[in-house]
Amino acid sequence: MSKITAFLVFLASGLGSASKLPPAFSVPPSDAVDHVNALIGNGGDTPNGSGGMIPSTAPPFAMTRWVAQTQKNYVSVTPYNHTSSSIHGFQGTHQPAIWMGESAQVVVVPGVGEVKSSFEERGLEFNNATKVISPSYYCVELDSGSETIILAEQSATSRVGHLRFTFPISKEAYVLLEATRPTVITSTPTNITYPVGSIAIDPARREITGSNSERQDWIITPTSTAANASHFRGYFCARFDLPFAEWGVVQNGSAVTGATAGDGSLLSGYARFSPGTRTVNVRVGVSFISVDQARRNLDAEIPDDVPLEETARRTRAAWAEKLDRITLEGASEADKEVFYTAFFHSLQYPYEQDEDGFYYSAYDNQVHEGQSYTGYSIWDTFRAEWAWLILFAPERVPAMITSMLQDYQQSGWLPMWKNIVETNIMVGTHADSLIAEAVVKGVKGFDMDLAWEAAYKDATVPPENDGNTTYSDREENVGYEVRAGLSSVYAEKGWVANDVHSESASRTLDYAYDDYALYRLAVALGKPANIVTMLHDRAMTAPFTIFNNATGFMEARDASGAWAGPDEGWTEGDKWAYTFDVVHDIPALALHRGGNASFIRSLDEHFDGGHNDHSNEPSHHIPYLYALAGAASKTQERVREIAQANYNNTPTGLSGNEDCGQMSAWYLFSALGFYPVNPASGEYVVGSPFFDKVTVNLPAVGSPVIRHEQIATGAEIQFEMSEVPEAWGNEQDGETLCLPSWLMLVMRTPPPSMCLEKTSSFPHGRS
Ligand SMILES: *[C@@H]1O[C@H](CO)[C@@H](O)[C@H](O)[C@H]1NC(C)=O
Ligand SMILES: *[C@@H]1O[C@H](CO)[C@@H](O)[C@H](O)[C@H]1NC(C)=O
Ligand SMILES: *[C@@H]1O[C@H](CO)[C@@H](O)[C@H](O)[C@H]1NC(C)=O
Ligand SMILES: *[C@@H]1O[C@H](CO)[C@@H](O)[C@H](O)[C@H]1NC(C)=O
Ligand SMILES: *[C@@H]1O[C@H](CO)[C@@H](O)[C@H](O)[C@H]1NC(C)=O
Ligand SMILES: *[C@@H]1O[C@H](CO)[C@@H](O)[C@H](O)[C@H]1NC(C)=O
Ligand SMILES: *[C@@H]1O[C@H](CO)[C@@H](O)[C@H](O)[C@H]1NC(C)=O
Ligand SMILES: *[C@@H]1O[C@H](CO)[C@@H](O)[C@H](O)[C@H]1NC(C)=O
Ligand SMILES: *[C@@H]1O[C@H](CO)[C@@H](O)[C@H](O)[C@H]1NC(C)=O
């Protein structure tokens, strides 16, 4: 089939395997990185059918991730579908999750013969058996016609993509850079718009530069005279290692050979290489600031003459530095793929967007000095992903918080779902929880006074036009949603009125938890007693204002107090899941449900009745509630059942959307044997580890405090597992040892690493 058989030999070691790398790309050695299967979560028949993940190449928290593009991506469609048979270019993407839009992508397309720019025409069939997929290196053979192939190889650093194309002999090879494309801004694929941009070609510098203003989520940006991302633009600077034999600009399918500049929609630029050219390297620096900055990023991260092998080595080393921190014993090959891919997924978002110490803010359209992050799916990630980041990326957490505080200073509010700028997706101001959890866990290095000011505003200032705006999901042309309905919480008896606001019952419960987080923050920062008391009272009373004694379930209420009906007022969940959504006061919830025994029965009914929906976040903490009511063995059993049913090492191996790491964080904590049910408390509830032995080497943390400290500074936790359910943590023998305290207790002696060990294989634990 091919005229470049040498590469087939070279690829032979990777035949048919997603994880087996050619020798040059498997350094440094890392068993953990080799078990990443980046196709996990790419499957499914609907956007919510699996994780919405793509096999992307980039270091942890990279500004731009690179991926072979098999389909046009937009809200609910990612750029890569593992069932596709053609590749239409290699895309530098900023799409953080399947339900969010793309922003300022750039696409690199290799080809031979006549230049083809449109998505449909430029697609090349690929040889599925020869592809190699890893976090640091991707490679595939593309069929370029007449029994010739193009070998395409891809690696990347945070702000620079590195592509290498090996073309067939005696073909007129070219590489095209797509600056602008047709796009869609809603999940309606027929609603096509044409973002504009520019392209410039500089043959002397061997560069093609350009920009575009594509931002698919613009339609849900909160209305604001300043914080409106109106100047948002993505820039790129692509530099080649060979001189151009020919160049040109293509607009809407028409190529103008020799042109060096263009503006507008449907715009690409290309460079052709002299006949006989075999191998072309192109490095693509990206920037949200300027073309010049994109060029500086290129020179800083992948200077001229750095071979692809070196780029891949550095990116692999960055993953190994993280993933090698956990070693598993007693895990099957499939278990390891699930675990390390989850770890890989958990360290991608939020992503860095500062360049050389500066960042563009879409909140005020200015370039500022400092660090910045975007891609905050906080309604999802406050649950466990943030706790995971505090443990495994503590060096980034202060800047991630500072970034949110900058957003607050520039827009007036902390983010809810920041995708370049706020998008108002989901409910609650859970940035309050991120800040409180960090403070409770002793994270330092950000402005605590400003953090308090910003979070306290969430709890006390309603959004604009709160009295007459529904703030429904993806509602357009509204202000910052923040705690929509907060004025009704004040005016009425504690709940968000269902006849005024969407998702009212979920909001009531989420706002109560956020108030609890604020209460913890107020205590930690020594705020006045009246504020502490106000927040505590609201946190503890609000949930039960919507507890319907007659049914035993939470239920939305109108402003008048009338019950709105059991199916009203929920977001991404129902009365079954949300009735368990009082993570900060499980004892009170258990009492409302008739005491521990009755509460445990209600959990059984929830699970046995098929009401637990692990594919969505409101269910994630529920299996751990047994342990808080004295039935620890049931937690262990349910957690393992859920892990079995919802995670595996295939493309459909995530039952729900990854949501910027939350699905994976659930698995990772559960596999280690504990979970942050009430994140702002700093406590973990103990389950049972999945493997015989897990050894964790944590990165150094600044100034950790209680509970978190015992983990963060290293400790040995021994889980002695027995074949039968044990009394420990179970109510029968009156043993009511608080699990988090127990965790604290056994972690007294800190060895250099944390070992989670069990001595036999099945679910029932004792300490
Ligand atoms: C992938 O493509 C297949 C075939 O076209 C389609 O059925 C499936 O829905 C797609 N999956 C995703 C997640 O886009
Ligand atoms: C997935 O989304 C489709 C619409 O795209 C919806 O009909 C279906 O109910 C959703 N399934 C789940 C399990 O949420
Ligand atoms: C290509 O291989 C992957 C596994 O690596 C598989 O999931 C996919 O379905 C295959 N695609 C085609 C078009 O056969
Ligand atoms: C298409 O997008 C425009 C905004 O550009 C919007 O006003 C319109 O409602 C959309 N139409 C459909 C059918 O989604
Ligand atoms: C967006 O903000 C800029 C200033 O940053 C302002 O000039 C422009 O008028 C605003 N646009 C809208 C639609 O509010
Ligand atoms: C592209 O060209 C076609 C004709 O070939 C024309 O119908 C279409 O309007 C053009 N599109 C844009 C966005 O200019
Ligand atoms: C909503 O209320 C604000 C003042 O609270 C008022 O300015 C605005 O006109 C109202 N909008 C509608 C649609 O009633
Ligand atoms: C439920 O009953 C308790 C007393 O058992 C009462 O204090 C509470 O107000 C009732 N809740 C509602 C919403 O009626
Ligand atoms: C419920 O169980 C928990 C955990 O065992 C225990 O701490 C709590 O005291 C129990 N509550 C009651 C009312 O017995």
Side-chain angles (χ1 to χ4, degrees):
M1 157 184 180
S2 163
K3 294 184 184 171
I4 50 168
T5 42
F7 278 97
L8 291 175
V9 174
F10 150 78
L11 283 172
S13 64
L15 279 189
S17 160
S19 53
K20 261 264 187 87
L21 283 164
F25 296 99
S26 49
V27 283
S30 169
D31 187 54
V33 177
D34 286 342
H35 279 89
V36 172
N37 175 353
L39 291 179
I40 293 177
N42 184 247
D45 291 332
T46 55
N48 55 9
S50 188
M53 293 307 288
I54 53 172
S56 64
T57 306
F61 310 105
M63 177 165 170
T64 301
R65 312 195 65 78
W66 288 82
V67 64
Q69 190 190 12
T70 71
Q71 57 191 12
K72 296 177 185 171
N73 59 309
Y74 50 91
V75 176
S76 82
V77 178
T78 58
Y80 191 92
N81 183 324
H82 75 106
T83 69
S84 304
S85 55
S86 60
I87 286 174
H88 302 246
F90 295 85
Q91 178 165 343
T93 174
H94 304 109
Q95 184 176 0
I98 193 165
W99 293 115
M100 305 306 284
E102 177 66 276
S103 311
Q105 78 297 327
V106 54
V107 185
V108 183
V109 189
V112 294
E114 191 194 336
V115 174
K116 299 185 192 72
S117 62
S118 80
F119 183 86
E120 289 74 15
E121 286 178 345
R122 72 190 191 217
L124 299 173
E125 302 275 308
F126 66 96
N127 181 349
N128 204 27
T130 60
K131 72 182 186 307
V132 175
I133 299 178
S134 85
S136 51
Y137 175 74
Y138 177 95
C139 149
V140 68
E141 287 179 2
L142 303 171
D143 178 355
S144 48
S146 315
E147 299 194 329
T148 63
I149 63 166
I150 300 169
L151 177 74
E153 297 171 279
Q154 168 191 287
S155 187
T157 58
S158 181
R159 300 161 187 87
V160 188
H162 194 158
L163 287 301
R164 182 164 71 189
F165 302 114
T166 302
F167 291 100
I169 293 169
S170 70
K171 285 280 179 177
E172 297 216 333
Y174 70 87
V175 175
L176 177 111
L177 271 292
E178 182 185 63
T180 59
R181 62 174 189 176
T183 192
V184 291
I185 51 161
T186 62
S187 48
T188 313
T190 50
N191 199 357
I192 296 169
T193 62
Y194 298 92
V196 294
S198 64
I199 199 99
I201 303 175
D202 186 339
R205 293 172 98 148
R206 301 173 183 173
E207 285 180 359
I208 298 180
T209 58
S211 70
N212 71 61
S213 58
E214 179 166 342
R215 194 171 66 82
Q216 296 173 338
D217 282 344
W218 71 263
I219 198 159
I220 46 173
T221 302
T223 55
S224 163
T225 49
N228 59 27
S230 61
H231 293 44
F232 173 76
R233 233 175 156 84
Y235 304 86
F236 65 86
C237 172
R239 191 183 300 156
F240 294 82
D241 67 339
L242 290 183
F244 302 172
E246 182 194 299
W247 54 87
V249 170
V250 190
Q251 190 145 26
N252 194 6
S254 306
V256 181
T257 306
T260 54
D263 280 299
S265 59
L266 304 178
L267 192 65
S268 298
Y270 73 92
R272 192 187 290 284
F273 304 94
S274 57
T277 295
R278 295 292 308 280
T279 301
V280 176
N281 275 275
V282 54
R283 290 157 294 140
V284 189
V286 299
S287 172
F288 292 153
I289 295 175
S290 66
V291 164
D292 284 345
Q293 186 60 49
R295 183 178 292 114
R296 282 193 288 274
N297 294 343
L298 189 164
D299 285 323
E301 293 189 1
I302 315 184
D304 292 352
D305 300 326
V306 168
L308 186 83
E309 284 78 358
E310 173 59 14
T311 305
R313 190 198 61 75
R314 278 173 45 204
T315 294
R316 183 176 165 88
W319 281 111
E321 195 277 319
K322 291 295 188 191
L323 271 49
D324 284 345
R325 288 181 179 280
I326 302 185
T327 53
L328 308 177
E329 286 169 41
S332 68
E333 288 298 298
D335 290 336
K336 282 184 171 183
E337 282 191 24
V338 171
F339 186 92
Y340 289 114
T341 306
F343 205 171
F344 168 65
H345 287 172
S346 73
L347 303 181
Q348 299 187 8
Y349 299 104
Y351 67 88
E352 56 195 9
Q353 61 159 354
D354 46 288
E355 312 166 43
D356 262 353
F358 292 87
Y359 68 95
Y360 160 79
S361 168
Y363 290 94
D364 65 359
N365 293 304
Q366 307 287 323
V367 173
H368 298 265
E369 204 168 340
Q371 285 179 281
S372 182
Y373 284 82
T374 187
Y376 286 77
S377 186
I378 304 179
W379 181 85
D380 302 292
T381 59
F382 84 94
R383 298 161 202 269
E385 165 67 9
W386 185 242
W388 188 258
L389 292 179
I390 293 174
L391 279 176
F392 289 96
E395 73 286 0
R396 289 182 183 261
V397 169
M400 286 173 176
I401 295 174
T402 298
S403 176
M404 297 196 296
L405 299 179
Q406 290 161 178
D407 301 343
Y408 164 73
Q409 287 177 301
Q410 293 155 16
S411 71
W413 295 104
L414 290 167
M416 292 171 72
W417 214 129
K418 177 187 183 185
N419 185 21
I420 306 293
V421 68
E422 185 51 50
T423 62
N424 276 351
I425 299 272
M426 300 313 296
V427 301
T429 54
H430 301 309
D432 310 347
S433 177
L434 304 195
I435 290 169
E437 183 179 357
V439 170
V440 165
K441 290 180 172 177
V443 175
K444 301 231 164 26
F446 59 93
D447 184 337
M448 301 252 178
D449 293 335
L450 189 60
W452 168 257
E453 178 189 310
Y456 191 64
K457 181 178 176 185
D458 280 343
T460 50
V461 180
E464 67 183 32
N465 296 339
D466 195 30
N468 59 14
T469 311
T470 309
Y471 284 105
S472 57
D473 190 36
R474 290 181 189 264
E475 185 169 346
E476 295 165 21
N477 304 311
V478 295
Y480 280 75
E481 177 173 322
V482 287
R483 291 209 203 173
L486 187 63
S487 38
S488 122
V489 173
Y490 287 136
E492 313 300 334
K493 301 182 182 70
W495 62 89
V496 174
N498 190 64
D499 44 352
V500 184
H501 291 100
S502 69
E503 301 144 300
S504 64
S506 298
R507 287 185 196 278
T508 303
L509 297 168
D510 279 6
Y511 298 174
Y513 168 73
D514 290 337
D515 280 340
Y516 171 83
L518 259 292
Y519 152 73
R520 295 297 302 239
L521 186 62
V523 170
L525 298 180
K527 296 296 166 190
N530 61 324
I531 290 180
V532 171
T533 306
M534 180 274 283
L535 291 166
H536 185 266
D537 286 353
R538 260 173 38 183
M540 300 308 180
T541 42
F544 301 106
T545 66
I546 63 162
F547 189 85
N548 187 338
N549 290 328
T551 63
F553 284 95
M554 301 288 181
E555 192 172 327
R557 301 178 81 170
D558 289 342
S560 67
W563 298 108
D567 301 326
E568 283 291 312
W570 306 119
T571 186
E572 306 213 348
D574 60 12
K575 65 172 184 178
W576 288 92
Y578 271 106
T579 295
F580 292 112
D581 190 21
V582 194
V583 295
H584 56 288
D585 200 357
I586 296 302
L589 179 62
L591 281 179
H592 275 79
R593 283 203 140 176
N596 280 349
S598 164
F599 183 64
I600 290 165
R601 279 196 302 277
S602 77
L603 284 163
D604 285 343
E605 204 187 342
H606 172 78
F607 284 100
D608 295 339
H611 302 296
N612 200 63
D613 177 11
H614 191 77
S615 74
N616 218 323
E617 278 71 13
S619 288
H620 282 190
H621 66 287
I622 298 175
Y624 285 93
L625 299 185
Y626 282 110
L628 294 175
S633 65
K634 291 198 175 202
T635 285
Q636 296 160 15
E637 213 174 302
R638 297 290 188 194
V639 164
R640 283 170 176 247
E641 279 167 13
I642 292 167
Q644 289 273 318
N646 293 274
Y647 299 83
N648 65 53
N649 66 334
T650 72
T652 49
L654 287 173
S655 68
N657 291 162
E658 179 59 273
D659 292 328
C660 293
Q662 171 57 29
M663 272 297 279
S664 284
W666 184 92
Y667 180 88
L668 293 163
F669 272 120
S670 296
L672 262 54
F674 52 96
Y675 188 84
V677 168
N678 176 7
S681 69
E683 296 176 349
Y684 298 99
V685 174
V686 172
S688 72
F690 294 171
F691 309 115
D692 293 342
K693 184 173 184 184
V694 182
T695 306
V696 182
N697 283 292
L698 290 166
V701 183
S703 293
V705 290
I706 50 157
R707 285 181 294 274
H708 181 71
E709 174 187 55
Q710 274 83 19
I711 299 174
T713 58
E716 184 158 334
I717 312 175
Q718 293 249 345
F719 287 77
E720 282 176 37
M721 310 300 286
S722 70
E723 301 296 342
V724 293
E726 289 280 347
W728 173 81
N730 291 320
E731 224 164 32
Q732 305 73 307
D733 74 342
E735 174 63 88
T736 54
L737 192 60
C738 165
L739 299 174
S741 319
W742 171 82
L743 196 61
M744 192 157 67
L745 205 71
V746 292
M747 291 189 187
R748 209 173 280 142
T749 353
S753 68
M754 177 171 74
C755 293
L756 302 178
E757 191 160 11
K758 67 183 174 59
T759 52
S760 85
S761 55
F762 210 54
H764 312 290
R766 65 165 285 113
S767 63

